C-alpha cells in the first residue's frame, strides 16, 4: 500500500468536495487526526461519519479504525541509510533522541497490537514441539539466530536457518509434531514463503512474526503481528528488527515460565558451562 499522506494528497482532485475536506485536514494535521474518534474528525471537517468511512474504503482500508492505526504507524520512520530524514544541523543529543523516540514509539505500538491469545497459543505449541525451527532471510535471519541462542538453552531441539536452500530442505522434513517460526518484516520474501508453504503442506504448524495482511500472515496458523511501516528501499529496517527481537523474548520467557523447574535447571547448566570463560 502506498505511503498514506502522499497517496492521499495525490487523490485530492478525484475526491468529492466533502471527502476532500477530510483529506485536507488529515494532510495538514496527521498527528491530531490519528488520535481522533470518527465523530470528532467528521465534526472538524464538517462532514458526516459515512463520508469518512467512504474515504477510508476508497483508499483501501476497512474503515476509520484501520486507517487511523496505519496513519499513526506511518508517522514513525526508521533510520535512513543516508540520513536524509535528519536535519543536517541536528546535534548528537537531538540525533539520539529522534532514533530512540522512534524505536520506543514503534515498540509500544507493536505491544498494544500483539494479540495475547495468539501469544498464548504460540507458547502452547512450542511447549509441545518435538523440534522448533526459526527461518528468516537477511535482517530477519539475525532475529532467527538470536532466537536459536535463546531457546536452545531450555534443552530443546532448536535450529535457525537463514539460507533459502537449507530452509527448503529442512521444511521438507518438518511435520505435525514440529513448529516452524517464520520471521519477515514484509512477509513477502518469495523464498521464505515457498519454504513455509512446503512445511505447511506437511502439516507443520506455522507461527509467523510479520505484518498483518501479508502473504506470510496468510500462511500462518498463529500470527504474531508486527505492523511497522519502514521504507526498506530508503531506510535501514532497524525498528522492525527490534520489535521482532522483543516478540522472540516474549515467547522465550513465556516458554520458560511454562516449563518451570525444567527450564531453570537447563539454564543453570548452560551458565555453569560458561564459568571457566569469565
Amino acid at each position: 500500500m502506498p505511503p498514506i499522506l502522499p497517496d492521499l494528497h495525490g487523490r485530492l482532485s478525484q475526491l468529492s468536495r466533502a471527502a476532500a475536506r477530510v483529506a485536507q485536514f488529515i494532510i495538514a494535521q496527521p498527528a491530531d487526526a490519528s488520535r481522533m474518534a470518527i465523530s470528532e474528525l467528521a465534526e472538524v471537517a464538517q462532514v458526516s461519519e459515512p463520508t469518512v468511512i467512504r474515504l477510508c474504503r476508497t483508499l483501501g482500508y476497512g474503515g476509520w479504525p484501520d486507517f487511523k492505526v496505519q496513519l499513526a504507524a506511518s508517522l514513525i520512520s526508521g533510520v535512513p541509510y543516508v540520513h536524509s530524514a535528519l536535519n543536517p544541523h541536528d546535534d548528537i543529543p537531538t540525533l539520539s533522541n529522534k532514533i530512540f523516540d522512534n524505536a520506543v514509539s514503534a515498540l509500544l505500538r507493536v505491544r498494544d497490537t500483539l494479540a495475547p491469545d495468539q501469544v498464548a497459543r504460540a507458547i502452547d505449541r512450542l511447549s509441545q514441539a518435538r523440534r522448533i525451527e526459526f527461518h528468516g532471510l537477511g535482517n530477519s535471519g539475525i532475529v532467527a539466530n538470536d532466537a536459536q541462542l535463546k531457546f536452545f538453552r531450555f534443552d530443546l531441539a532448536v535450529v535457525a536457518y537463514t539460507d533459502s536452500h537449507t530452509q527448503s530442505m529442512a521444511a521438507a522434513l518438518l511435520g505435525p509434531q514440529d513448529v516452524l517460526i517464520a520471521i519477515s518484516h514484509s512477509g513477502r520474501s518469495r523464498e521464505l514463503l515457498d519454504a513455509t508453504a512446503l512445511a505447511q503442506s506437511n502439516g507443520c504448524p506455522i507461527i509467523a512474526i510479520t505484518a498483518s495482511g501479508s502473504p506470510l500472515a496468510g500462511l500462518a496458523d498463529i500470527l504474531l503481528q508486527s505492523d511497522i511501516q519502514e521504507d526498506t528501499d530508503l531506510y535501514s529496517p532497524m525498528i522492525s528488527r527490534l520489535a521482532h527481537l522483543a516478540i522472540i523474548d516474549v515467547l522465550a520467557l513465556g516458554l520458560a515460565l511454562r516449563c518451570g523447574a525444567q527450564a531453570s535447571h537447563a539454564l543453570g547448566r548452560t551458565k555453569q558451562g560458561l564459568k571457566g570463560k569469565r
Side-chain angles (χ1 to χ4, degrees):
M1 186 167 290
I4 290 179
L5 294 179
D7 184 40
L8 196 55
H9 189 274
R11 292 174 182 251
L12 277 175
S13 62
Q14 306 166 20
L15 300 175
S16 68
R17 186 174 301 177
R21 286 203 299 272
V22 179
Q24 287 166 346
F25 177 82
I26 294 171
I27 292 169
Q29 301 184 53
D32 290 339
S34 70
R35 293 190 289 268
M36 286 182 170
I38 187 172
S39 58
E40 295 173 312
L41 179 60
E43 181 178 355
V44 168
Q46 297 182 328
V47 300
S48 65
E49 293 183 18
T51 297
V52 178
I53 295 171
R54 284 194 296 271
L55 173 62
C56 295
R57 290 177 177 169
T58 296
L59 296 170
Y61 299 90
W64 176 245
D66 180 27
F67 178 86
K68 186 168 70 168
V69 168
Q70 298 303 323
L71 174 62
S74 74
L75 301 178
I76 304 298
S77 63
V79 181
Y81 286 126
V82 295
H83 303 296
S84 59
L86 299 173
N87 188 319
H89 303 295
D90 285 345
D91 55 20
I92 295 302
T94 301
L95 168 65
S96 297
N97 287 342
K98 286 183 177 180
I99 292 174
F100 278 94
D101 287 349
N102 285 346
V104 169
S105 297
L107 285 170
L108 290 175
R109 184 168 291 110
V110 171
R111 180 201 65 183
D112 292 342
T113 57
L114 191 62
D117 62 320
Q118 295 293 291
V119 175
R121 288 182 60 209
I123 292 171
D124 284 341
R125 286 282 192 179
L126 293 170
S127 67
Q128 301 167 26
R130 178 191 67 172
R131 177 181 176 85
I132 300 169
E133 289 192 7
F134 295 92
H135 289 191
L137 297 171
N139 283 287
S140 296
I142 297 171
V143 180
N145 285 328
D146 181 80
Q148 180 188 16
L149 291 174
K150 286 184 170 67
F151 278 75
F152 92 93
R153 293 181 299 167
F154 302 140
D155 195 19
L156 300 172
V158 181
V159 66
Y161 292 124
T162 60
D163 172 78
S164 62
H165 290 78
T166 309
Q167 287 173 357
S168 294
M169 290 188 290
L173 300 176
L174 292 174
Q177 296 180 329
D178 307 312
V179 173
L180 170 60
I181 301 183
I183 307 164
S184 173
H185 164 55
S186 69
R188 299 179 184 278
S189 299
R190 172 50 55 192
E191 293 167 318
L192 179 66
L193 289 172
D194 289 344
T196 303
L198 179 57
Q200 183 189 55
S201 70
N202 292 334
C204 178
I206 307 297
I207 299 173
I209 301 177
T210 191
S212 61
S214 66
L216 181 58
L219 291 173
D221 298 293
I222 299 170
L223 173 61
L224 304 179
Q225 71 182 66
S226 176
D227 291 324
I228 294 175
Q229 294 193 359
E230 286 185 294
D231 186 344
T232 53
D233 290 330
L234 295 175
Y235 295 93
S236 170
M238 178 191 75
I239 295 177
S240 59
R241 187 160 71 247
L242 292 176
H244 292 173
L245 289 168
I247 292 173
I248 290 295
D249 271 1
V250 170
L251 295 179
L253 293 173
L255 184 60
L257 292 173
R258 176 69 58 85
C259 295
Q262 176 186 342
S264 296
H265 180 63
L267 286 171
R269 289 166 59 195
T270 61
K271 290 181 179 179
Q272 186 68 27
L274 293 174
K275 286 190 69 173
K277 300 184 179 296
R278 294 178 178 172

PDB file of all heavy atoms in Angstrom, residues 15-44:
ATOM      1  N   LEU A  15     -11.490  13.285  -5.368  1.00  0.00           N
ATOM      2  CA  LEU A  15     -12.432  13.119  -4.274  1.00  0.00           C
ATOM      3  C   LEU A  15     -13.596  14.097  -4.381  1.00  0.00           C
ATOM      4  O   LEU A  15     -13.487  15.166  -4.985  1.00  0.00           O
ATOM      5  CB  LEU A  15     -11.716  13.323  -2.932  1.00  0.00           C
ATOM      6  CG  LEU A  15     -10.554  12.382  -2.613  1.00  0.00           C
ATOM      7  CD1 LEU A  15      -9.892  12.802  -1.312  1.00  0.00           C
ATOM      8  CD2 LEU A  15     -11.033  10.937  -2.535  1.00  0.00           C
ATOM      9  N   SER A  16     -14.708  13.722  -3.754  1.00  0.00           N
ATOM     10  CA  SER A  16     -15.828  14.649  -3.643  1.00  0.00           C
ATOM     11  C   SER A  16     -15.416  15.825  -2.764  1.00  0.00           C
ATOM     12  O   SER A  16     -14.413  15.764  -2.042  1.00  0.00           O
ATOM     13  CB  SER A  16     -17.033  13.937  -3.032  1.00  0.00           C
ATOM     14  OG  SER A  16     -16.768  13.618  -1.673  1.00  0.00           O
ATOM     15  N   ARG A  17     -16.206  16.888  -2.808  1.00  0.00           N
ATOM     16  CA  ARG A  17     -15.865  18.076  -2.036  1.00  0.00           C
ATOM     17  C   ARG A  17     -15.800  17.751  -0.544  1.00  0.00           C
ATOM     18  O   ARG A  17     -14.895  18.202   0.171  1.00  0.00           O
ATOM     19  CB  ARG A  17     -16.892  19.177  -2.296  1.00  0.00           C
ATOM     20  CG  ARG A  17     -16.543  20.513  -1.646  1.00  0.00           C
ATOM     21  CD  ARG A  17     -17.526  21.582  -2.080  1.00  0.00           C
ATOM     22  NE  ARG A  17     -17.512  21.751  -3.531  1.00  0.00           N
ATOM     23  CZ  ARG A  17     -18.323  22.579  -4.191  1.00  0.00           C
ATOM     24  NH1 ARG A  17     -19.209  23.291  -3.531  1.00  0.00           N
ATOM     25  NH2 ARG A  17     -18.244  22.678  -5.496  1.00  0.00           N
ATOM     26  N   ALA A  18     -16.743  16.948  -0.060  1.00  0.00           N
ATOM     27  CA  ALA A  18     -16.778  16.606   1.362  1.00  0.00           C
ATOM     28  C   ALA A  18     -15.589  15.733   1.743  1.00  0.00           C
ATOM     29  O   ALA A  18     -14.909  15.964   2.756  1.00  0.00           O
ATOM     30  CB  ALA A  18     -18.085  15.897   1.700  1.00  0.00           C
ATOM     31  N   ALA A  19     -15.325  14.709   0.922  1.00  0.00           N
ATOM     32  CA  ALA A  19     -14.190  13.822   1.209  1.00  0.00           C
ATOM     33  C   ALA A  19     -12.875  14.581   1.148  1.00  0.00           C
ATOM     34  O   ALA A  19     -11.943  14.308   1.925  1.00  0.00           O
ATOM     35  CB  ALA A  19     -14.171  12.648   0.241  1.00  0.00           C
ATOM     36  N   ALA A  20     -12.781  15.547   0.248  1.00  0.00           N
ATOM     37  CA  ALA A  20     -11.548  16.340   0.123  1.00  0.00           C
ATOM     38  C   ALA A  20     -11.298  17.161   1.383  1.00  0.00           C
ATOM     39  O   ALA A  20     -10.143  17.352   1.779  1.00  0.00           O
ATOM     40  CB  ALA A  20     -11.638  17.258  -1.093  1.00  0.00           C
ATOM     41  N   ARG A  21     -12.367  17.631   2.037  1.00  0.00           N
ATOM     42  CA  ARG A  21     -12.179  18.386   3.290  1.00  0.00           C
ATOM     43  C   ARG A  21     -11.582  17.492   4.369  1.00  0.00           C
ATOM     44  O   ARG A  21     -10.708  17.909   5.140  1.00  0.00           O
ATOM     45  CB  ARG A  21     -13.513  18.968   3.764  1.00  0.00           C
ATOM     46  CG  ARG A  21     -13.988  20.150   2.958  1.00  0.00           C
ATOM     47  CD  ARG A  21     -14.958  21.020   3.757  1.00  0.00           C
ATOM     48  NE  ARG A  21     -16.156  20.286   4.151  1.00  0.00           N
ATOM     49  CZ  ARG A  21     -17.252  20.191   3.391  1.00  0.00           C
ATOM     50  NH1 ARG A  21     -17.292  20.764   2.197  1.00  0.00           N
ATOM     51  NH2 ARG A  21     -18.299  19.525   3.815  1.00  0.00           N
ATOM     52  N   VAL A  22     -12.045  16.256   4.417  1.00  0.00           N
ATOM     53  CA  VAL A  22     -11.483  15.295   5.377  1.00  0.00           C
ATOM     54  C   VAL A  22     -10.006  15.051   5.051  1.00  0.00           C
ATOM     55  O   VAL A  22      -9.140  15.094   5.935  1.00  0.00           O
ATOM     56  CB  VAL A  22     -12.252  13.958   5.349  1.00  0.00           C
ATOM     57  CG1 VAL A  22     -11.627  12.967   6.328  1.00  0.00           C
ATOM     58  CG2 VAL A  22     -13.717  14.170   5.671  1.00  0.00           C
ATOM     59  N   ALA A  23      -9.722  14.803   3.786  1.00  0.00           N
ATOM     60  CA  ALA A  23      -8.350  14.514   3.365  1.00  0.00           C
ATOM     61  C   ALA A  23      -7.426  15.683   3.657  1.00  0.00           C
ATOM     62  O   ALA A  23      -6.294  15.500   4.128  1.00  0.00           O
ATOM     63  CB  ALA A  23      -8.324  14.175   1.873  1.00  0.00           C
ATOM     64  N   GLN A  24      -7.888  16.897   3.393  1.00  0.00           N
ATOM     65  CA  GLN A  24      -7.058  18.082   3.613  1.00  0.00           C
ATOM     66  C   GLN A  24      -6.738  18.277   5.094  1.00  0.00           C
ATOM     67  O   GLN A  24      -5.624  18.673   5.451  1.00  0.00           O
ATOM     68  CB  GLN A  24      -7.759  19.313   3.047  1.00  0.00           C
ATOM     69  CG  GLN A  24      -7.737  19.363   1.528  1.00  0.00           C
ATOM     70  CD  GLN A  24      -8.690  20.381   0.946  1.00  0.00           C
ATOM     71  OE1 GLN A  24      -9.577  20.887   1.635  1.00  0.00           O
ATOM     72  NE2 GLN A  24      -8.528  20.689  -0.334  1.00  0.00           N
ATOM     73  N   PHE A  25      -7.701  17.967   5.960  1.00  0.00           N
ATOM     74  CA  PHE A  25      -7.424  18.082   7.390  1.00  0.00           C
ATOM     75  C   PHE A  25      -6.386  17.046   7.823  1.00  0.00           C
ATOM     76  O   PHE A  25      -5.464  17.351   8.580  1.00  0.00           O
ATOM     77  CB  PHE A  25      -8.700  17.887   8.217  1.00  0.00           C
ATOM     78  CG  PHE A  25      -8.454  17.937   9.696  1.00  0.00           C
ATOM     79  CD1 PHE A  25      -8.352  19.153  10.366  1.00  0.00           C
ATOM     80  CD2 PHE A  25      -8.282  16.774  10.437  1.00  0.00           C
ATOM     81  CE1 PHE A  25      -8.098  19.204  11.727  1.00  0.00           C
ATOM     82  CE2 PHE A  25      -8.021  16.812  11.788  1.00  0.00           C
ATOM     83  CZ  PHE A  25      -7.935  18.038  12.437  1.00  0.00           C
ATOM     84  N   ILE A  26      -6.525  15.815   7.315  1.00  0.00           N
ATOM     85  CA  ILE A  26      -5.573  14.753   7.675  1.00  0.00           C
ATOM     86  C   ILE A  26      -4.170  15.112   7.198  1.00  0.00           C
ATOM     87  O   ILE A  26      -3.184  14.920   7.915  1.00  0.00           O
ATOM     88  CB  ILE A  26      -6.027  13.400   7.086  1.00  0.00           C
ATOM     89  CG1 ILE A  26      -7.334  12.944   7.743  1.00  0.00           C
ATOM     90  CG2 ILE A  26      -4.940  12.342   7.274  1.00  0.00           C
ATOM     91  CD1 ILE A  26      -7.963  11.738   7.072  1.00  0.00           C
ATOM     92  N   ILE A  27      -4.068  15.644   5.977  1.00  0.00           N
ATOM     93  CA  ILE A  27      -2.760  16.020   5.432  1.00  0.00           C
ATOM     94  C   ILE A  27      -2.139  17.152   6.248  1.00  0.00           C
ATOM     95  O   ILE A  27      -0.938  17.154   6.531  1.00  0.00           O
ATOM     96  CB  ILE A  27      -2.901  16.434   3.950  1.00  0.00           C
ATOM     97  CG1 ILE A  27      -3.266  15.217   3.101  1.00  0.00           C
ATOM     98  CG2 ILE A  27      -1.616  17.079   3.444  1.00  0.00           C
ATOM     99  CD1 ILE A  27      -3.694  15.559   1.691  1.00  0.00           C
ATOM    100  N   ALA A  28      -2.979  18.113   6.652  1.00  0.00           N
ATOM    101  CA  ALA A  28      -2.471  19.282   7.391  1.00  0.00           C
ATOM    102  C   ALA A  28      -2.115  18.940   8.827  1.00  0.00           C
ATOM    103  O   ALA A  28      -1.146  19.470   9.384  1.00  0.00           O
ATOM    104  CB  ALA A  28      -3.503  20.398   7.357  1.00  0.00           C
ATOM    105  N   GLN A  29      -2.888  18.046   9.444  1.00  0.00           N
ATOM    106  CA  GLN A  29      -2.682  17.731  10.861  1.00  0.00           C
ATOM    107  C   GLN A  29      -2.761  16.218  11.099  1.00  0.00           C
ATOM    108  O   GLN A  29      -3.668  15.730  11.772  1.00  0.00           O
ATOM    109  CB  GLN A  29      -3.722  18.457  11.720  1.00  0.00           C
ATOM    110  CG  GLN A  29      -3.686  19.970  11.571  1.00  0.00           C
ATOM    111  CD  GLN A  29      -4.664  20.657  12.499  1.00  0.00           C
ATOM    112  OE1 GLN A  29      -4.662  20.434  13.706  1.00  0.00           O
ATOM    113  NE2 GLN A  29      -5.519  21.503  11.940  1.00  0.00           N
ATOM    114  N   PRO A  30      -1.829  15.458  10.530  1.00  0.00           N
ATOM    115  CA  PRO A  30      -1.909  13.994  10.627  1.00  0.00           C
ATOM    116  C   PRO A  30      -1.825  13.465  12.057  1.00  0.00           C
ATOM    117  O   PRO A  30      -2.516  12.504  12.404  1.00  0.00           O
ATOM    118  CB  PRO A  30      -0.730  13.518   9.778  1.00  0.00           C
ATOM    119  CG  PRO A  30       0.216  14.683   9.746  1.00  0.00           C
ATOM    120  CD  PRO A  30      -0.649  15.902   9.761  1.00  0.00           C
ATOM    121  N   ALA A  31      -0.982  14.072  12.890  1.00  0.00           N
ATOM    122  CA  ALA A  31      -0.847  13.591  14.266  1.00  0.00           C
ATOM    123  C   ALA A  31      -2.152  13.768  15.029  1.00  0.00           C
ATOM    124  O   ALA A  31      -2.591  12.868  15.765  1.00  0.00           O
ATOM    125  CB  ALA A  31       0.291  14.317  14.973  1.00  0.00           C
ATOM    126  N   ASP A  32      -2.791  14.927  14.863  1.00  0.00           N
ATOM    127  CA  ASP A  32      -4.071  15.158  15.531  1.00  0.00           C
ATOM    128  C   ASP A  32      -5.135  14.196  15.007  1.00  0.00           C
ATOM    129  O   ASP A  32      -5.912  13.627  15.780  1.00  0.00           O
ATOM    130  CB  ASP A  32      -4.529  16.604  15.308  1.00  0.00           C
ATOM    131  CG  ASP A  32      -3.670  17.614  16.053  1.00  0.00           C
ATOM    132  OD1 ASP A  32      -2.996  17.211  17.021  1.00  0.00           O
ATOM    133  OD2 ASP A  32      -3.664  18.788  15.661  1.00  0.00           O
ATOM    134  N   ALA A  33      -5.167  14.011  13.689  1.00  0.00           N
ATOM    135  CA  ALA A  33      -6.171  13.126  13.091  1.00  0.00           C
ATOM    136  C   ALA A  33      -6.027  11.693  13.598  1.00  0.00           C
ATOM    137  O   ALA A  33      -7.023  11.000  13.825  1.00  0.00           O
ATOM    138  CB  ALA A  33      -6.050  13.165  11.572  1.00  0.00           C
ATOM    139  N   SER A  34      -4.771  11.251  13.781  1.00  0.00           N
ATOM    140  CA  SER A  34      -4.537   9.861  14.204  1.00  0.00           C
ATOM    141  C   SER A  34      -5.042   9.578  15.612  1.00  0.00           C
ATOM    142  O   SER A  34      -5.169   8.420  16.008  1.00  0.00           O
ATOM    143  CB  SER A  34      -3.044   9.523  14.110  1.00  0.00           C
ATOM    144  OG  SER A  34      -2.300  10.215  15.110  1.00  0.00           O
ATOM    145  N   ARG A  35      -5.336  10.643  16.376  1.00  0.00           N
ATOM    146  CA  ARG A  35      -5.827  10.457  17.739  1.00  0.00           C
ATOM    147  C   ARG A  35      -7.335  10.695  17.861  1.00  0.00           C
ATOM    148  O   ARG A  35      -7.892  10.560  18.942  1.00  0.00           O
ATOM    149  CB  ARG A  35      -5.081  11.408  18.686  1.00  0.00           C
ATOM    150  CG  ARG A  35      -3.599  11.099  18.845  1.00  0.00           C
ATOM    151  CD  ARG A  35      -2.986  11.909  19.980  1.00  0.00           C
ATOM    152  NE  ARG A  35      -2.885  13.320  19.615  1.00  0.00           N
ATOM    153  CZ  ARG A  35      -1.820  13.875  19.055  1.00  0.00           C
ATOM    154  NH1 ARG A  35      -0.766  13.124  18.788  1.00  0.00           N
ATOM    155  NH2 ARG A  35      -1.787  15.165  18.775  1.00  0.00           N
ATOM    156  N   MET A  36      -7.992  11.045  16.781  1.00  0.00           N
ATOM    157  CA  MET A  36      -9.405  11.415  16.828  1.00  0.00           C
ATOM    158  C   MET A  36     -10.331  10.219  16.650  1.00  0.00           C
ATOM    159  O   MET A  36     -10.033   9.281  15.896  1.00  0.00           O
ATOM    160  CB  MET A  36      -9.719  12.430  15.722  1.00  0.00           C
ATOM    161  CG  MET A  36      -9.192  13.823  15.976  1.00  0.00           C
ATOM    162  SD  MET A  36      -9.691  14.932  14.626  1.00  0.00           S
ATOM    163  CE  MET A  36      -9.218  16.519  15.318  1.00  0.00           C
ATOM    164  N   ALA A  37     -11.474  10.290  17.304  1.00  0.00           N
ATOM    165  CA  ALA A  37     -12.570   9.369  17.005  1.00  0.00           C
ATOM    166  C   ALA A  37     -13.211   9.820  15.704  1.00  0.00           C
ATOM    167  O   ALA A  37     -13.073  10.983  15.288  1.00  0.00           O
ATOM    168  CB  ALA A  37     -13.591   9.382  18.127  1.00  0.00           C
ATOM    169  N   ILE A  38     -13.924   8.938  15.051  1.00  0.00           N
ATOM    170  CA  ILE A  38     -14.525   9.289  13.760  1.00  0.00           C
ATOM    171  C   ILE A  38     -15.508  10.445  13.899  1.00  0.00           C
ATOM    172  O   ILE A  38     -15.602  11.303  13.019  1.00  0.00           O
ATOM    173  CB  ILE A  38     -15.204   8.050  13.125  1.00  0.00           C
ATOM    174  CG1 ILE A  38     -15.665   8.385  11.706  1.00  0.00           C
ATOM    175  CG2 ILE A  38     -16.357   7.556  13.971  1.00  0.00           C
ATOM    176  CD1 ILE A  38     -16.154   7.172  10.947  1.00  0.00           C
ATOM    177  N   SER A  39     -16.206  10.510  15.025  1.00  0.00           N
ATOM    178  CA  SER A  39     -17.167  11.597  15.238  1.00  0.00           C
ATOM    179  C   SER A  39     -16.458  12.943  15.343  1.00  0.00           C
ATOM    180  O   SER A  39     -16.953  13.960  14.833  1.00  0.00           O
ATOM    181  CB  SER A  39     -17.993  11.338  16.503  1.00  0.00           C
ATOM    182  OG  SER A  39     -17.147  11.220  17.637  1.00  0.00           O
ATOM    183  N   GLU A  40     -15.269  12.936  15.968  1.00  0.00           N
ATOM    184  CA  GLU A  40     -14.506  14.181  16.103  1.00  0.00           C
ATOM    185  C   GLU A  40     -13.994  14.663  14.753  1.00  0.00           C
ATOM    186  O   GLU A  40     -14.068  15.855  14.433  1.00  0.00           O
ATOM    187  CB  GLU A  40     -13.329  13.968  17.065  1.00  0.00           C
ATOM    188  CG  GLU A  40     -13.734  13.654  18.497  1.00  0.00           C
ATOM    189  CD  GLU A  40     -12.543  13.290  19.361  1.00  0.00           C
ATOM    190  OE1 GLU A  40     -11.724  12.454  18.926  1.00  0.00           O
ATOM    191  OE2 GLU A  40     -12.436  13.857  20.463  1.00  0.00           O
ATOM    192  N   LEU A  41     -13.491  13.733  13.959  1.00  0.00           N
ATOM    193  CA  LEU A  41     -12.975  14.109  12.641  1.00  0.00           C
ATOM    194  C   LEU A  41     -14.098  14.627  11.754  1.00  0.00           C
ATOM    195  O   LEU A  41     -13.937  15.632  11.046  1.00  0.00           O
ATOM    196  CB  LEU A  41     -12.290  12.909  11.986  1.00  0.00           C
ATOM    197  CG  LEU A  41     -11.731  13.147  10.583  1.00  0.00           C
ATOM    198  CD1 LEU A  41     -10.682  14.247  10.600  1.00  0.00           C
ATOM    199  CD2 LEU A  41     -11.141  11.860  10.015  1.00  0.00           C
ATOM    200  N   ALA A  42     -15.238  13.948  11.794  1.00  0.00           N
ATOM    201  CA  ALA A  42     -16.379  14.370  10.979  1.00  0.00           C
ATOM    202  C   ALA A  42     -16.828  15.785  11.366  1.00  0.00           C
ATOM    203  O   ALA A  42     -17.146  16.608  10.500  1.00  0.00           O
ATOM    204  CB  ALA A  42     -17.530  13.385  11.136  1.00  0.00           C
ATOM    205  N   GLU A  43     -16.803  16.062  12.657  1.00  0.00           N
ATOM    206  CA  GLU A  43     -17.234  17.392  13.121  1.00  0.00           C
ATOM    207  C   GLU A  43     -16.247  18.468  12.677  1.00  0.00           C
ATOM    208  O   GLU A  43     -16.649  19.537  12.195  1.00  0.00           O
ATOM    209  CB  GLU A  43     -17.350  17.383  14.650  1.00  0.00           C
ATOM    210  CG  GLU A  43     -17.823  18.717  15.224  1.00  0.00           C
ATOM    211  CD  GLU A  43     -17.981  18.676  16.737  1.00  0.00           C
ATOM    212  OE1 GLU A  43     -17.821  17.585  17.325  1.00  0.00           O
ATOM    213  OE2 GLU A  43     -18.256  19.733  17.322  1.00  0.00           O
ATOM    214  N   VAL A  44     -14.960  18.193  12.813  1.00  0.00           N
ATOM    215  CA  VAL A  44     -13.938  19.177  12.419  1.00  0.00           C
ATOM    216  C   VAL A  44     -14.014  19.462  10.918  1.00  0.00           C
ATOM    217  O   VAL A  44     -13.878  20.606  10.471  1.00  0.00           O
ATOM    218  CB  VAL A  44     -12.533  18.674  12.809  1.00  0.00           C
ATOM    219  CG1 VAL A  44     -11.463  19.535  12.153  1.00  0.00           C
ATOM    220  CG2 VAL A  44     -12.364  18.701  14.318  1.00  0.00           C
TER     221      VAL A  44
END
